[in-house]
Structure formats: C-alpha cells, structure tokens
Amino acid sequence: MNELTHGASLDGGEHPEPVDVTDELIAEHGLSADEYKHLLEIIGRTPSATELGIFSVMWSEHCSYKSSRYHLKKLPVEGPQVIQGPGENAGVVDLGDGQAAIFKMESHNHPSFIEPFQGAATGVGGIMRDVFTMGARPIANLNALRFGAPENAKTRHLVNGVVAGIAGYGNCMGVPTVGGETNFDKRYNQNILVNAMCIGLADTDKIFYSAAKGVGLPVVYVGSKTGRDGIHGATMASAEFDDQSDEKRPTVQVGDPFTEKLLLEACLELMSSDAIIAIQDMGAAGLTSSSVEMADKGGVGFDMNLDLVPQRETGMTAYEMMLSESQERMLMVLKPGSEPAAKKIFDKWDLDFAVIGETTDTGRLVVRQNGIVEANLPVATLADSAPEYQRPFEKTAAQPVVAAEDLPDVEDLFSALNSLMGGAHLCSRRWIWEQYDHMVMGDTVGRPGGDAAVVRVHGTKKGLAAATDVTPRYCYSDPYEGGKQAVVETWRNITAVGATPLAITNCLNFGNPTRPDIMGQFVGCLEGMGDACRALDYPIVSGNVSLYNETNGIGIPPTPAIGGIGLIDDHDKLTSVALTDEGLALILVGETKGHVGQSLFQELLTGDFNGAPPPVDLALERRTGDAVRELILSGKLSAVHDVSDGGLLVAIAEMCLAGDVGVILEPYQGQIKREAYWFGEDQARYLLAVPAGEATGIIAELSKLGLETSQIGLSSGKEITIKGGGSIALQTLRTAHEGYLPNLLA
Amino acid sequence: MRASVIVFPGSNCDRDIAVALTAALDQKPAMVWHGDTSVPPSDLIVLPGGFSFGDYLRSGAMAAQSPIMKDVVAKAKAGVPVLGICNGFQVLTEAGLLPGALMRNRDIKFLCKDVLLKVERNDSIYTSQYKAGEVIRVPIAHHDGNYFADDETIKSLEDEGLVAFRYVDETGAASAAANPNGSVNNIAGIYSADMKVLGLMPHPERLISPALGGSDGAPMFKSLTEALS
Amino acid sequence: MKARITVTLKNGVLDPQGKAIEHALTGLGFEGVDEVKQGKLIELDLTDSDAEAARARVTEMCEKLLANTVIENYAIELE
Amino acid sequence: MKARITVTLKNGVLDPQGKAIEHALTGLGFEGVDEVKQGKLIELDLTDSDAEAARARVTEMCEKLLANTVIENYAIELE
Ligand SMILES: Nc1ncnc2c1ncn2[C@@H]1O[C@H](COP(=O)(O)OP(=O)(O)O)[C@@H](O)[C@H]1O
Ligand SMILES: [Mg+2]
C-alpha cells in the first residue's frame, strides 16, 4: 500500500500516525479495495487507525446509503404539509395551530436477532432520540415486527425477548406504544425484522436541527458515559450474516431507559431556552457520525479533545471512542456563554455534561487525545465522498394471476374462517400490545387493536392517527404492486378511523443489494411506493434502509415497512372497527373481484402463496377513501374497517369480535366463485356499519360517486351467519383468535 | 383544595395525574421535585405512577429514600392524605407508609389493560362518589403489582376493612381469573389505618373521560374535591 | 475491600420469577428440577479497611436500601 | 443436590442498575462506595446425585436459559 507523508502538512494541521495497512484490515473495516483507494486519494496520505475507523463507519451502508441513495432520490418528499423531509434526524409535518409532528421509523434487525431484549430495547431508545433531538416530545411509538415460522424453535424466544425489550424501554420512558404489525414467515427464521417508529410533537417555531453554524462555539457532550459498546456496530448492521455471527455477540449494547428518560427531560428543558444552536443524537457510529454531520451541515470544522469525553471504562483509545455506540448520548453546539445554565439543567437530571471541543473555520474534523492528533480529516469530503452505487438490478418476473377456480372447493366457509382467525397471520396481537403501556400520557383515544391508533394532540381536540403496514408476500411476488399496496394500506388504515393521511416514514428491509434480483425487488418496491405517494399526496418525510438481511445466501422477502400518520380535527368524530350495536346495516364499498393469488386463503388451502398479488388502482383507492372519510366526518357511520389480509369475511369477523355483536349476512349470488368472494384480497374496499334506516341513502350517495356499494348484512345476535350458509358463534371465533399467541408463547 | 404531586426522576404519570387533578379541582397542583426537603402546605399529596429511578433494584425503593420523602412521611403521620398510584403505591410500601410489598406480576410480564375493581367501601375521602361494592373499570399498567404481605398483615387489613379495591369479575367476585397479577386476596389497593393514605396499582387518572374509553376514574377525584375543599 | 451481598426472598414469599424459570426449564426438557428461587447479587467496592466497620456499614446499606426486609433476607460476604 | 448460580454482567457491559444503586447509596450518605454491580442469583434443587452430571446439566441450563451469554457470565456452585 502507498506510504504517504505524515507530520506537518500543507493545510497547516498536524497529521496523525499512519496505521499499518493490510488487506485484512481494510476488509475488516468493510471497505472494498476500490473504496480504500478512493480514501487515499481524498486524504492524500495513509490514514491513522482512528481515521480508518471513521471512514469505515461513514462509508458503511448504514450511514452512507451507498446502494440505495440513487433510488431514494426519486421518492416524492414534498408537499404543503412538509416542514422537513428526509435528511434530518426525522421528518417534520405541519399539524396547524403552530404545531408539528416529528416522526421516523428505524430498523434494529441484526442486534435483535443476536440479543432480542436489548436489541429491540435499544432500537426503541434510538428512534426516540432521533425524535426528541429535534425538539419534539415523543407521544407515540409503533413497531413493525417480522419473525420466523411460529413452529421454528427460536421464534418463541425471539418474540418474547423483542416484545419485552420494546415494552421495557417504551414503558419506562412513559411514551405509549400504540400500534404496529407482526408477521410470521419462515423466510425470517434467520433474519427477524424489528422496526421501531416514534412520533413526537413540537411547536413549529421550536424545531431543532443539526447544522452547527458558527465558529468558536462550544461542542458539548451530554448523557451517558462512553464505553466500548457496539464498536463496529454500524458496520455489523450492514454485513450479511453467516454462521459465525454468534461470535460478534459482545457488540450488543445494553439499553438504559431511565437515563434516556432523564436525557429527554433535560434536553426539552434546555430547548425551552435559546442556548442550543445545533443538536444531534449519537446513534450508530456515535461520536463520528454526529460530529461529521453537524460540522458538515454547518459548514465548519470541529476540534475535539477526547480526554474530556465522559468515559465509563479506562484506557479507551481514540478509535474506540470515535466508534463507540454507547446509548443515551447527545452532541450539542451551544451559544457561547450559555454553558453554565445548560450544565445546571443536566446536573439537576444527574447527567454528564462536558464541553469537549469547539467549532472551527478550518473545515476539518480534528480529534485529539493525550495531546496527540488522532484524526485530522476534511469534513465536507468525509460527508459527501461516500461512494454511491447504481447496482445492477433485474426486474422481478411477473407472476400469473391465479384463477379462483383452480383452488379446491371449501365445504364449510366458517371452519376456514376459524382457521384463519386462529392462525399466526390473523390471530389477535393482544398478547403483544398488552405488554406495552399504550395509555400513558393520558391521550390515547384510539387504542391498539383497531385500524389505526390515535393519540390526542395534548390539550386540543385534534387526533394524530398512525399505522404501520406492508404485505411482504405481495412485494415478493410483485415488488411494484407490493410497494404501492404497503403505502396504500397505511393510508386506508388512517382513513378508516376518519383521519386525513398526511405523510409517511419507512423502513426498507431487503436482502443483499449486490445481488441483481434483490436490487430488482428494491427498485420495484420503491417505484411502487413513489407512485402511491404521488397519487395520494402522501409524501415520504423520513426513513431508513436495512440491507443484507440475508443468511447463507437466503434473503428475506422484500419488506418495505411503511409508517403513516394522519390528522383528525376533532377526535370525537373518530370511528372504530367495533360493531357495538344490533340493527346496523353492514355496507361493503369497493369492487370485489375475488383475487385469490397471494391470499391467506390460498395458503390455507394449498400451503403456499402463489401467483400475482391483487393489483392496486391508486385513483380508485383515493376516491373510495376520500368518500369514506367524508362520511365518517359527517357523523353518519357507526363503525368502519378496511378490508385487507384475509378478505371480506375476515374483516367482518374482526368487526364483530371487536364489538361483540354478530351479523346476519346475505348469501353471495354473483358471478365469481363463492370462496373467492368471501376470502379474496381485492384492494380499495371498506366495510361500513350504519343505522339500518340510513343505509339506502348512503348507498345511493356512494354509488353516485361511481363506487360499487351494497348492503351485505345486518348486525344481530352473537353469531356470524350467512343466510342459508351456516354460522359460527363469536365465542368460538374469539377462543381461536385470542388463544393462538398466548398458547404459542407461554 | 391544594394538591401536590411529587416528581421523581423517572416518574411518567406526573402529567397525567396533574391533568386529572386540574380538571377536578379547577386548580393546578404544585409539582414538587424529589430533591426538595419540604412539601408546600397541601390538602393532598400524590405520588404518581412511572418508573422512578428506572425501577432499578426494586420498584419504588430508591424513590422512598428521596429527600422529599421524609416530609411526605411526616405529613402523612400528621394526617395529610397521601395517594400513591402504581409506582406511587410501590413507593408508599417501600417508605413504610403502607404495609406489604409489590412483587413481580405472576406471569412476569408487564401488563396494560382495563380491569374490573370492586370499591370495597365508600366511606373514605377517596370513594364517597362510588357506591359501596360498586364494580368499576380502570386500567392497570405495571410489571410489579403483585401485592404480598404476611398472613398476619393480610388478616389485619381484612379485619379492619383496609382493603380499598379488589380485582373482580363482572359479578363482583374476586375470582382467580379476575386477578391479573397474583395479588393476595385479589388486593388492588389498600388504606392506612387512619384511611388517609391510599395506595393502588390501577390508574384512575387514565379513565376520566369517554374519549379515553371511560370515566370510572373520575369519581375518585370528585370524592377528594368534596372531602378536602 | 469488596462486599458481596445476596438478597433472597424469605421463606413463604411467593417467587413468580423462580416459578417462571422452573416452568421454562421443564419446558426445555430438564427434569428433576425443583424449588427454583431467584435472588439478587450486589457487589461493591468499599474504601474501608476494617472488616467489622465495613460489615456494619454494609448491613446498614442493606437495611436502608438494598433489601426490602418485609419480603427479603440478605447475606453479606466481605473479601 | 442444590445448585447456586450467580449471573453477572460481562466486563465492559453497561450496568444501569449498578450505576443507579451506587448513586442512591451515595445519596444516602454512604461514602467510599464504588464499582457497584448488580447480578442475579438463582438457586435450585436437583435430583441428581452425581456432582459431575449435575454440573453438566446446570451448565447447559445456564447456556440455554439462565444466563444471557451475549452479555453475562455465570458461575455454578453445587452443594
Ligand atoms: N407489534 C405490534 N405492536 C403493537 N400493536 C400491534 C403489533 N402488531 C399488531 N398490532 C396491532 O394489532 C392490530 C392488528 O394489526 P394488523 O393486522 O396489522 O392490522 P391491519 O390489518 O388493520 O393493518 C392493529 O391495531 C395493530 O396496531
Ligand atoms: Mg396495519
């Protein structure tokens, strides 16, 4: 390797001791030979160990988005409601009245597989820091979870650990965990997905950013002390698993939610003054990425003395300190002179507070330890020079549409219904969300179990609705349609409670991007997501990419998890899925074509998912959803539910179970196969419950808009009955539906 | 009526209880920092829910040693009503103001859900707006709510009518199935001997309006207002 | 001087964690396991050089904070 | 046969509980207390009569359930 000069240099700075570079060392740092060559060109000399570490984390997939950036740029990120799109710690959306929602979703997949409790816990802690670092008080958490097959030996351990970890952190923070989604699929056996979303509330004139503008300003470290936690965690999260992964275990961090709670309160207290110029949480790649990002965005240099960093362990090297992923830490740039007042606040909350350096006009990141310069790098180059790859991709081949007639006949619709409702895909998630404090903060007006969760904007009548969704089997079969469907389903879930969808965040979980088929899935899903967002005026304001979710060459199904939020002006107008009264007409809005490909019903009958997923008609989605929302807001509807996984009869059953009232359904007499009518997964459909007397009027109203609408039943009793076609007692369904997870996980 | 809410590091239902008290009293409670040494003159002191000191070591153990607790104990002994909800109940037992201890839930897991409670008596300052024996619905949200005391203590609590609330089913029966956490005799809350100190695991402050799913918690705050104003 | 404190539940106090572990061990196929109890171990360094004084101090720590003597016993070892 | 298992955090792993206890002890006026660590103690009865077999079984229990070997060490004593 090139041995270039060090010591005094042209830019006047001091150069650190070069490291003894070997091919192994470069590979260990996750850099390709080309990338290392590029590094040498940039800095014009051999890097020090600390510098190599800094580059390795800055150029990791996790921090640099090198495989995904090119495609992410094509997503719609703008709209009148958007205050801040992607690029900051979290996205910011206007809620009116001088208030904003700040939200983001992030993955903690690899750590959660290795240590489910701590991995999930620190994932929740990390996403909350992303939100409160911008000045928002977190008001709701959600989580999108994918586990392996229920019968897989490890699944039980992982579910128990992940759920307890999410609960342990969120509950202690006093932030309600109000929603999410959970899938089981054998293709996640070796790569579970733990995606955590946090929504915060801030005043629009009190939003904090990371740009450290100004020279000679104090750089301040607050929060927990730095230890040797997760060193190389960021590069680990970007590397494919193999059977040796177990050896990487000690890189798991332990979460300390108590300290984070103190950090939250201390930061918000300081934010109510005008002391902060810039603030950034220390997430993956800790001190490195926070300092580089803040300096780069502010167009300044940082000169930091690591001796001043609060340390938990002795003898830590500069390399270790710059790469440590110790949790519950923040980096701030303050107005000069405000340090004593700021320190007083952190003292009150028993948190470390240390001025560790200052901003400079050199444009360089200078890291010193024991009087020696350990790193001296140009900030802008470090931030912008990360490689960007347009990796080759191969479009996923289109699958044929499965004809309903090709599926076996089903004698007893209700026994099929019972199997679906009592199986892994559709069973009640109560066992999960009862472990989450979903009511703390006293504003949960839409609890878990419905279409979207809703938290009240404190002290107002406004409600913030949120849902997470993606149907990975659809994405696997047809990435483009699946990408559309994921966005649309959150939009529908939010619409179904009466809220107006505002914007989304996402967590794009995929396999190995160097494989053209995986990259094809990625590109397809993104195109679908982009088109859906454009059609619905539902922009993407933040997100996260998690690649290399793959073990021994077997990747996960493409899983672009979408987290959407929406707003309702008066939470008294919210509707829920619960059918709570007898004598309500059940109305189906939307066209039922009986699409069985990739349906849960197909899997129940054939043991597998096959064919094309249901296509999504974006214009129709929008028209249908807007009409339903208008009806909700006019106060005419008693209950609403969107029709998704499992189809019509499943959606009906969910409404009946939620309200403990049965329904008598009209027999189906149309052209498509009976089973496909009841269990097909056609999109853009909603079920509405209205007082029987109003049904005709509402049907007429919707039909006038060109929406296929019909009354399909009347609520009554404690059974679901199809006239002339049998029935099932709600109690039977409930036992199956509620029993599955507790039995699996006990 | 003047109320004070003690805020410990890690308290997280302090705002919730302040909202409930403000609604009932038409007056904001004083928020008192754990590091202070005296509670301002108050007609009611509340120890809120949450995870004081992270619930590390034992729930409520470190909070019970906070500087402010000396004065809370003194005031309680002098007859000032003290209400401990959830973590506050744990603090009260750790501070010796109420007997017994709150152990890990029977099923080990944190549990957040609505439960049914029987109001054992309505002649306390906390329960006058309920009917004696009334069954109400109130949420719980805790990891360590499994009430335990030795036989003698339980016997004296029962004999002296100091059980305030019990987990029950719809019919008012304290059945095993209605017991969410394994508490002895389905005990959800207890009074001190003078009935002025109440500790309970459920969160009445969370169910004070139909928008939140119910209002069965509201009468407790109304009772306090009536008794203490 | 190092102190090692073990805190265990008193006899007759129900131990949900111990029970859960026992249940899980049985579920994993370990037979003949019984009376599982979970307690706490607290280790600390003391500047004291006198063992007796140290023991007195640690006892006080246990009484005041480390153990809840309503339900727990404690034992102290010094090194 | 009785087994006594102590489970402690590996060196360098953050111990939030230990940190909080140390802080609380200092707050209570105990001076010169340092390096507070919190671990777990698990006691159980075994039907085994052979110590070696018992140790092997308990080791397996630790690896599989009792300790989280990603972040914890364990030690076994038999009586
Ligand atoms: N991991 C989880 N955490 C919290 N709530 C969850 C989780 N998984 C599912 N839920 C809740 O269970 C309900 C059903 O979820 P899902 O089947 O995804 O609903 P939908 O089909 O309407 O999108 C929702 O209210 C959802 O918020
Ligand atoms: Mg959903």
Side-chain angles (χ1 to χ4, degrees):
Chain A
M1 291 293 163
N2 323 26
E3 175 58 43
L4 297 166
T5 52
H6 70 282
S9 71
L10 285 179
D11 53 57
E14 205 180 321
H15 284 158
E17 191 74 26
V19 70
D20 193 3
V21 176
T22 62
D23 290 349
E24 290 75 53
L25 191 71
I26 293 169
E28 266 169 37
H29 282 79
L31 297 173
S32 70
D34 281 347
E35 287 170 347
Y36 183 70
K37 226 170 89 193
H38 183 43
L39 184 164
L40 288 179
E41 282 160 15
I42 290 171
I43 67 170
R45 60 182 163 80
T46 306
S48 67
T50 305
E51 289 173 336
L52 185 62
I54 289 174
F55 269 102
S56 94
V57 292
M58 288 305 295
W59 286 4
S60 70
E61 194 66 62
H62 189 91
C63 288
S64 73
Y65 292 87
K66 57 190 170 192
S67 303
S68 57
R69 216 160 58 215
Y70 173 77
H71 300 280
L72 291 173
K73 285 187 223 156
K74 294 183 282 192
L75 292 171
V77 298
E78 279 166 7
Q81 70 275 45
V82 178
I83 294 176
Q84 173 68 53
E88 278 287 339
N89 286 297
V92 185
V93 165
D94 198 347
L95 298 178
D97 308 314
Q99 288 178 304
I102 301 190
F103 69 110
K104 185 172 183 225
M105 175 149 58
E106 200 158 74
S107 66
H108 232 212
N109 303 338
H110 291 44
S112 301
F113 183 76
I114 293 169
E115 211 309 277
F117 183 97
Q118 296 296 346
T122 50
V124 172
I127 193 63
M128 279 197 269
R129 279 194 302 283
D130 271 333
V131 164
F132 72 78
T133 195
M134 295 194 71
R137 178 174 286 281
I139 59 169
N141 285 332
L142 292 93
N143 53 95
L145 311 177
R146 323 279 156 190
F147 297 105
E151 60 277 8
N152 181 40
K154 219 174 165 183
T155 297
R156 219 182 98 197
H157 161 75
L158 290 169
V159 179
N160 267 298
V162 164
V163 172
I166 292 170
Y169 211 103
N171 297 353
C172 184
M173 286 293 288
V175 177
T177 301
V178 293
E181 56 177 340
T182 312
N183 289 167
F184 296 91
D185 181 324
K186 61 175 184 296
R187 290 172 294 177
Y188 299 107
N189 277 357
Q190 299 299 318
N191 295 87
I192 63 169
L193 303 182
V194 174
N195 297 169
M197 170 172 169
C198 178
I199 309 170
L201 181 69
D203 290 339
T204 46
D205 59 358
K206 273 273 171 203
I207 296 171
F208 291 81
Y209 297 98
S210 53
K213 285 200 190 90
V215 169
L217 311 173
V219 174
V220 176
Y221 170 116
V222 294
S224 285
K225 295 185 190 335
T226 296
R228 293 188 176 89
D229 300 290
I231 291 174
H232 260 172
T235 31
M236 174 185 82
S238 309
E240 191 179 320
F241 268 14
D242 55 40
D243 288 333
Q244 263 85 57
S245 308
D246 279 2
E247 286 172 13
K248 294 176 185 159
R249 280 174 163 190
T251 59
V252 167
Q253 305 110 19
V254 169
D256 181 358
F258 172 55
T259 297
E260 176 127 319
K261 168 72 174 160
L262 303 185
L263 188 61
L264 163 69
E265 298 301 336
C267 285
L268 291 181
E269 200 171 319
L270 181 59
M271 284 164 168
S272 68
S273 75
D274 63 354
I276 299 177
I277 289 173
I279 178 164
Q280 163 94 19
D281 69 298
M282 292 190 230
L287 204 45
T288 293
S289 71
S290 55
S291 58
V292 171
E293 263 170 57
M294 289 172 84
D296 177 53
K297 289 205 173 111
V300 297
F302 265 33
D303 197 324
M304 300 194 293
N305 180 356
L306 297 185
D307 301 339
L308 303 173
V309 169
Q311 293 162 51
R312 195 172 83 227
E313 298 176 65
T314 51
M316 292 181 68
T317 62
Y319 177 96
E320 289 171 326
M321 284 165 74
M322 288 305 288
L323 268 56
S324 161
E325 294 193 348
S326 292
Q327 303 286 299
E328 293 95 20
R329 304 178 299 163
M330 293 270 190
L331 200 62
M332 313 188 294
V333 169
L334 298 183
K335 278 199 183 141
S338 64
E339 301 95 314
K343 180 166 187 312
K344 215 168 137 206
I345 293 174
F346 285 84
D347 284 349
K348 170 184 155 195
W349 291 101
D350 271 318
L351 294 164
D352 274 298
F353 177 102
V355 178
I356 62 165
E358 63 172 11
T359 60
T360 65
D361 61 3
T362 63
R364 299 186 75 86
L365 175 71
V366 179
V367 176
R368 300 168 200 273
Q369 190 184 37
N370 301 321
I372 293 168
V373 171
E374 296 287 354
N376 182 352
L377 296 169
V379 167
T381 324
L382 194 53
D384 307 335
S385 63
E388 174 177 302
Y389 298 123
Q390 288 183 41
R391 300 202 184 273
F393 65 92
E394 209 171 82
K395 250 184 104 180
T396 306
Q399 302 295 308
V401 173
V402 175
E405 287 65 29
D406 294 346
L407 289 187
D409 295 340
V410 167
E411 190 102 349
D412 183 359
L413 291 176
F414 289 107
S415 115
L417 176 68
N418 204 40
S419 304
L420 286 171
M421 294 292 287
H425 301 303
L426 293 175
C427 68
S428 166
R429 271 51 175 150
R430 182 185 304 276
W431 184 92
I432 296 174
W433 49 256
E434 278 189 348
Q435 292 186 54
Y436 303 150
D437 189 338
H438 48 267
M439 294 184 233
V440 64
M441 296 187 91
D443 283 314
T444 304
V445 291
R447 296 188 191 179
D451 280 328
V454 187
V455 291
R456 187 163 59 181
V457 175
H458 192 66
T460 74
K461 290 296 277 184
K462 293 194 283 191
L464 202 54
T468 71
D469 286 291
V470 60
T471 313
R473 60 181 190 275
Y474 293 176
C475 296
Y476 181 74
S477 167
D478 184 337
Y480 176 72
E481 289 298 327
K484 273 161 55 180
Q485 197 274 344
V487 171
V488 158
E489 193 175 344
T490 64
W491 192 86
R492 258 194 323 247
N493 280 176
I494 289 165
T495 294
V497 299
T500 304
L502 283 176
I504 65 171
T505 182
N506 64 70
C507 200
L508 307 175
N509 309 277
F510 288 81
N512 180 348
T514 62
R515 281 175 38 186
D517 56 330
I518 301 288
M519 209 51 211
Q521 295 173 342
F522 185 80
V523 173
C525 284
L526 251 67
E527 278 172 3
M529 284 166 52
D531 282 352
C533 290
R534 274 182 287 268
L536 301 170
D537 288 324
Y538 192 38
I540 295 172
V541 297
S542 57
N544 170 249
V545 179
S546 171
L547 301 174
Y548 298 96
N549 292 288
E550 178 163 310
T551 300
N552 296 334
I554 301 170
I556 57 161
T559 312
I562 305 295
I565 68 162
L567 185 65
I568 186 165
D569 286 333
D570 178 356
H571 62 74
D572 284 337
K573 293 188 173 155
L574 287 168
T575 52
S576 91
V577 302
L579 203 58
T580 48
D581 293 298
E582 304 214 2
L584 298 175
L586 200 59
I587 294 172
L588 174 63
V589 191
E591 200 181 352
T592 300
K593 293 181 179 158
H595 187 101
V596 294
Q598 298 295 334
S599 70
L600 295 178
F601 183 68
Q602 178 191 42
E603 193 217 20
L604 180 73
L605 295 195
T606 68
D608 215 345
F609 296 107
N610 273 302
V616 177
D617 178 339
L618 293 170
L620 180 65
E621 287 285 353
R622 183 162 185 161
R623 265 194 307 139
T624 313
D626 286 349
V628 168
R629 190 180 319 105
E630 210 162 295
L631 283 174
I632 295 173
L633 295 179
S634 71
K636 290 181 185 156
L637 307 185
S638 306
V640 179
H641 190 20
D642 73 308
V643 181
S644 62
D645 264 359
L648 184 56
L649 199 54
V650 163
I652 294 168
E654 287 169 346
M655 294 179 79
C656 291
L657 286 180
D660 201 24
V661 169
V663 67
I664 297 169
L665 298 166
E666 300 300 326
Y668 176 65
Q669 279 161 338
Q671 298 303 307
I672 59 183
K673 188 168 169 176
R674 186 187 62 137
E675 289 89 334
Y677 171 79
W678 290 112
F679 294 110
E681 296 186 359
D682 308 285
Q683 302 292 296
R685 293 186 299 163
Y686 296 81
L687 280 163
L688 319 178
V690 305
E694 321 238 332
T696 325
I698 283 171
I699 291 170
E701 208 175 309
L702 290 169
S703 303
K704 226 174 20 203
L705 297 170
L707 301 174
E708 200 169 304
T709 311
S710 60
Q711 177 169 346
I712 61 167
L714 193 69
S715 66
S716 148
K718 297 279 183 197
E719 292 183 344
I720 301 176
T721 304
I722 299 177
K723 283 184 194 159
S727 69
I728 189 165
L730 292 187
Q731 197 45 49
T732 308
L733 269 181
R734 191 182 304 285
T735 305
H737 187 60
E738 294 293 348
Y740 183 87
L741 276 190
N743 289 339
L744 177 71
L745 298 165
Chain B
M1 174 180 131
R2 299 155 306 170
S4 291
V5 176
I6 311 297
V7 182
F8 300 101
S11 290
N12 63 32
C13 303
D14 44 336
R15 188 184 79 177
D16 305 4
I17 187 69
V19 167
L21 289 169
T22 307
L25 313 180
D26 250 346
Q27 186 183 331
K28 283 191 177 160
M31 307 305 278
V32 181
W33 186 237
H34 75 114
D36 292 353
T37 47
S38 77
V39 184
S42 309
D43 304 305
L44 172 71
I45 298 172
V46 183
L47 307 185
F51 285 70
S52 57
F53 297 90
D55 274 359
Y56 297 155
L57 186 63
R58 285 186 316 280
S59 301
M62 294 186 204
Q65 302 296 334
S66 284
I68 196 70
M69 284 306 291
K70 276 211 179 75
D71 195 40
V72 172
V73 171
K75 290 213 158 72
K77 297 223 156 117
V80 176
V82 179
L83 168 62
I85 300 173
C86 197
N87 197 224
F89 185 13
Q90 295 160 343
V91 176
L92 288 174
T93 60
E94 286 280 348
L97 280 175
L98 291 173
L102 291 144
M103 310 199 21
R104 182 53 46 96
N105 290 349
R106 178 191 53 216
D107 297 332
I108 311 299
K109 296 178 170 44
F110 189 98
L111 198 55
C112 175
K113 63 185 231 179
D114 285 354
V115 297
L116 298 178
L117 296 180
K118 183 161 147 211
V119 183
E120 290 286 319
R121 53 193 288 184
N122 71 342
D123 57 350
S124 84
I125 54 170
Y126 298 96
T127 55
S128 64
Q129 301 297 310
Y130 296 106
K131 291 196 273 298
E134 185 178 345
V135 174
I136 60 172
R137 189 168 55 88
V138 180
I140 53 167
H142 60 244
H143 212 160
D144 301 304
N146 181 349
Y147 184 75
F148 177 86
D150 57 37
D151 295 347
E152 211 173 307
T153 307
I154 295 289
K155 183 166 184 315
S156 91
L157 283 174
E158 295 285 4
D159 289 351
E160 286 159 40
L162 297 177
V163 174
F165 300 97
R166 240 183 264 277
Y167 303 108
V168 293
D169 60 23
E170 292 86 353
T171 69
S175 62
N179 189 341
N181 54 25
S183 294
V184 176
N185 291 4
N186 286 39
I187 290 173
I190 55 171
Y191 294 113
S192 58
D194 65 358
M195 306 264 297
K196 293 282 187 60
V197 178
L198 168 63
L200 77 167
M201 289 313 296
H203 286 272
E205 81 280 18
R206 290 192 182 182
L207 228 48
I208 52 166
S209 85
L212 297 173
S215 321
D216 284 0
M220 179 179 291
F221 301 102
K222 188 129 180 277
S223 304
L224 284 167
T225 322
E226 303 252 308
L228 303 175
S229 291
Chain C
M1 190 170 287
K2 276 190 196 312
R4 207 179 132 89
I5 302 136
T6 51
V7 179
T8 50
L9 285 173
K10 286 187 173 168
N11 262 337
V13 177
L14 181 79
D15 178 6
Q17 284 164 304
K19 263 179 75 177
I21 295 173
E22 191 169 317
H23 178 79
L25 286 173
T26 311
L28 286 171
F30 292 102
E31 276 158 38
V33 182
D34 211 356
E35 295 286 322
V36 181
K37 297 245 159 79
Q38 178 170 330
K40 273 180 239 168
L41 172 73
I42 298 159
E43 297 173 309
L44 42 87
D45 280 5
L46 291 166
T47 45
D48 305 55
S49 48
D50 174 52
E52 211 161 313
R55 183 172 297 275
R57 287 222 303 155
V58 177
T59 305
E60 203 190 332
M61 290 177 204
C62 289
E63 291 286 333
K64 272 206 175 152
L65 182 73
L66 301 180
N68 177 350
T69 50
V70 174
I71 47 170
E72 293 170 331
N73 293 320
Y74 59 88
I76 301 168
E77 288 166 54
L78 295 174
E79 250 170 55
Chain D
M1 190 168 287
K2 276 192 195 310
R4 207 179 130 90
I5 302 135
T6 51
V7 180
T8 49
L9 283 171
K10 285 187 178 169
N11 256 337
V13 174
L14 177 71
D15 178 6
Q17 308 231 35
K19 199 176 81 176
I21 296 171
E22 186 169 321
H23 189 256
L25 287 173
T26 310
L28 285 172
F30 292 102
E31 276 159 39
V33 181
D34 212 356
E35 297 285 323
V36 181
K37 299 243 159 79
Q38 178 170 331
K40 264 184 281 193
L41 171 73
I42 297 158
E43 296 173 308
L44 42 88
D45 279 4
L46 290 165
T47 46
D48 306 53
S49 49
D50 175 51
E52 211 162 312
R55 182 172 296 276
R57 288 222 302 156
V58 176
T59 304
E60 203 189 330
M61 291 177 204
C62 288
E63 291 285 334
K64 279 205 173 150
L65 181 77
L66 303 180
N68 177 349
T69 51
V70 179
I71 48 174
E72 293 171 333
N73 292 321
Y74 58 88
I76 301 168
E77 290 166 53
L78 295 173
E79 249 170 56

